[in-house]
Amino acid sequence: QVQLVESGGGLVQAGGSLRLSCAASGSIFSTEAMGWYRQAQGKERELAASITRDGRANYADSVKGRFTISRDSAGNTMYLEMNSLKPEDTAVYYCRAEVIRARASTSVRYIYWGQGTQVTVSS
Protein backbone atom coordinates (compact mmCIF):
# COMPACT_ATOMS: atom_id res chain seq x y z
CA GLN A 1 0.00 0.00 0.00
CA VAL A 2 0.92 3.68 0.26
CA GLN A 3 2.14 5.55 3.29
CA LEU A 4 2.72 9.25 3.95
CA VAL A 5 5.25 10.06 6.66
CA GLU A 6 5.48 13.61 7.99
CA SER A 7 8.28 15.20 9.96
CA GLY A 8 9.61 18.59 11.02
CA GLY A 9 6.96 19.88 13.37
CA GLY A 10 7.78 21.36 16.74
CA LEU A 11 7.76 24.41 18.97
CA VAL A 12 9.11 27.70 17.69
CA GLN A 13 8.95 31.33 18.76
CA ALA A 14 7.06 33.89 16.72
CA GLY A 15 9.19 35.06 13.81
CA GLY A 16 11.02 31.75 13.62
CA SER A 17 11.09 29.09 10.94
CA LEU A 18 10.30 25.42 10.49
CA ARG A 19 10.60 23.02 7.57
CA LEU A 20 8.05 20.23 7.22
CA SER A 21 8.60 17.13 5.10
CA CYS A 22 6.21 14.52 3.75
CA ALA A 23 7.51 11.37 2.10
CA ALA A 24 5.24 9.11 0.07
CA SER A 25 6.26 5.47 -0.23
CA GLY A 26 4.85 2.08 -1.11
CA SER A 27 3.19 0.74 -4.23
CA ILE A 28 3.28 4.01 -6.15
CA PHE A 29 3.34 4.47 -9.88
CA SER A 30 3.13 8.25 -9.70
CA THR A 31 2.46 10.84 -7.02
CA GLU A 32 0.34 13.60 -8.47
CA ALA A 33 -0.88 16.69 -6.62
CA MET A 34 0.20 17.08 -2.99
CA GLY A 35 -0.76 19.58 -0.34
CA TRP A 36 -0.38 20.72 3.24
CA TYR A 37 -3.54 21.21 5.28
CA ARG A 38 -3.69 22.55 8.79
CA GLN A 39 -6.24 22.42 11.56
CA ALA A 40 -6.09 24.55 14.68
CA GLN A 41 -7.79 23.37 17.86
CA GLY A 42 -11.54 23.82 17.58
CA LYS A 43 -11.33 25.14 14.02
CA GLU A 44 -11.98 23.85 10.53
CA ARG A 45 -9.22 22.18 8.53
CA GLU A 46 -7.92 24.45 5.78
CA LEU A 47 -5.56 24.21 2.85
CA ALA A 48 -2.28 26.00 3.50
CA ALA A 49 -0.46 25.18 0.27
CA SER A 50 -0.60 22.73 -2.61
CA ILE A 51 1.67 21.74 -5.47
CA THR A 52 1.10 19.85 -8.71
CA ARG A 53 3.40 17.22 -10.15
CA ASP A 54 4.63 19.91 -12.54
CA GLY A 55 5.57 22.17 -9.63
CA ARG A 56 2.74 24.71 -9.81
CA ALA A 57 2.09 26.03 -6.31
CA ASN A 58 -0.96 27.54 -4.67
CA TYR A 59 -1.09 29.25 -1.27
CA ALA A 60 -3.72 30.38 1.15
CA ASP A 61 -3.75 34.15 1.52
CA SER A 62 -2.83 33.80 5.18
CA VAL A 63 0.53 32.16 4.38
CA LYS A 64 1.38 33.73 1.04
CA GLY A 65 4.80 35.34 1.11
CA ARG A 66 5.85 33.46 4.24
CA PHE A 67 5.54 29.78 3.27
CA THR A 68 7.13 27.99 0.33
CA ILE A 69 5.99 24.58 -0.89
CA SER A 70 8.25 22.35 -2.97
CA ARG A 71 8.88 18.72 -3.91
CA ASP A 72 11.90 16.69 -4.91
CA SER A 73 12.79 15.71 -8.46
CA ALA A 74 11.23 12.26 -8.09
CA GLY A 75 8.00 13.89 -6.95
CA ASN A 76 7.43 11.69 -3.91
CA THR A 77 8.67 14.02 -1.17
CA MET A 78 7.06 17.36 -0.41
CA TYR A 79 8.36 20.17 1.76
CA LEU A 80 6.89 23.23 3.41
CA GLU A 81 9.34 25.95 4.38
CA MET A 82 7.63 28.16 6.94
CA ASN A 83 9.18 31.53 7.74
CA SER A 84 8.08 34.48 9.86
CA LEU A 85 5.81 32.19 11.83
CA LYS A 86 2.94 33.68 13.78
CA PRO A 87 0.96 32.31 16.74
CA GLU A 88 -2.04 31.91 14.43
CA ASP A 89 -0.01 29.36 12.43
CA THR A 90 -0.28 27.00 15.39
CA ALA A 91 -2.05 23.87 14.17
CA VAL A 92 -1.68 20.23 13.27
CA TYR A 93 -0.33 20.10 9.74
CA TYR A 94 -1.46 17.22 7.52
CA CYS A 95 0.07 15.96 4.30
CA ARG A 96 -2.30 14.96 1.48
CA ALA A 97 -1.31 13.20 -1.72
CA GLU A 98 -3.08 12.06 -4.88
CA VAL A 99 -1.47 8.80 -5.99
CA ILE A 100 -1.65 6.56 -9.03
CA ARG A 101 -0.93 3.17 -7.52
CA ALA A 102 1.36 0.60 -9.09
CA ARG A 103 -0.37 -2.17 -11.05
CA ALA A 104 -3.56 -0.12 -11.11
CA SER A 105 -5.40 1.87 -13.73
CA THR A 106 -3.56 5.09 -14.50
CA SER A 107 -6.91 6.86 -14.71
CA VAL A 108 -7.66 6.21 -11.02
CA ARG A 109 -6.19 8.39 -8.29
CA TYR A 110 -6.22 7.45 -4.63
CA ILE A 111 -6.16 9.99 -1.82
CA TYR A 112 -3.87 9.46 1.16
CA TRP A 113 -3.41 11.48 4.33
CA GLY A 114 -0.56 11.61 6.78
CA GLN A 115 -1.16 11.39 10.50
CA GLY A 116 -0.26 15.03 11.08
CA THR A 117 2.56 16.88 12.78
CA GLN A 118 2.08 19.53 15.46
CA VAL A 119 3.38 23.05 14.86
CA THR A 120 3.23 25.37 17.85
CA VAL A 121 4.27 29.03 17.60
CA SER A 122 4.71 30.89 20.86
CA SER A 123 4.21 34.64 21.18
Side-chain angles (χ1 to χ4, degrees):
Q1 265 291 346
V2 175
Q3 301 84 37
L4 301 181
V5 179
E6 300 152 330
S7 62
L11 175 65
V12 65
Q13 292 184 349
S17 300
L18 285 173
R19 189 179 191 235
L20 306 183
S21 299
C22 174
S25 62
S27 300
I28 298 173
F29 176 79
S30 177
T31 302
E32 303 299 305
M34 302 183 75
W36 288 101
Y37 290 73
R38 65 184 187 180
Q39 186 168 21
Q41 185 177 355
K43 297 181 180 177
E44 187 175 324
R45 186 176 299 186
E46 64 177 6
L47 176 67
S50 63
I51 186 168
T52 68
R53 189 178 64 171
D54 296 330
R56 291 174 290 137
N58 184 62
Y59 299 94
D61 289 340
S62 58
V63 309
K64 194 172 298 182
R66 299 187 297 117
F67 291 9
T68 302
I69 191 170
S70 62
R71 61 197 297 174
D72 65 0
S73 59
N76 293 327
T77 302
M78 176 181 64
Y79 307 93
L80 186 67
E81 183 70 38
M82 304 185 293
N83 299 311
S84 301
L85 283 162
K86 304 174 181 179
E88 51 262 43
D89 295 319
T90 296
V92 178
Y93 284 71
Y94 296 92
C95 174
R96 178 188 185 271
E98 299 177 358
V99 173
I100 299 175
R101 294 188 350 201
R103 301 182 302 277
S105 172
T106 57
S107 66
V108 178
R109 298 184 180 187
Y110 292 79
I111 306 299
Y112 293 93
W113 290 88
Q115 292 184 326
T117 183
Q118 177 71 48
V119 171
T120 302
V121 184
S122 62
S123 59

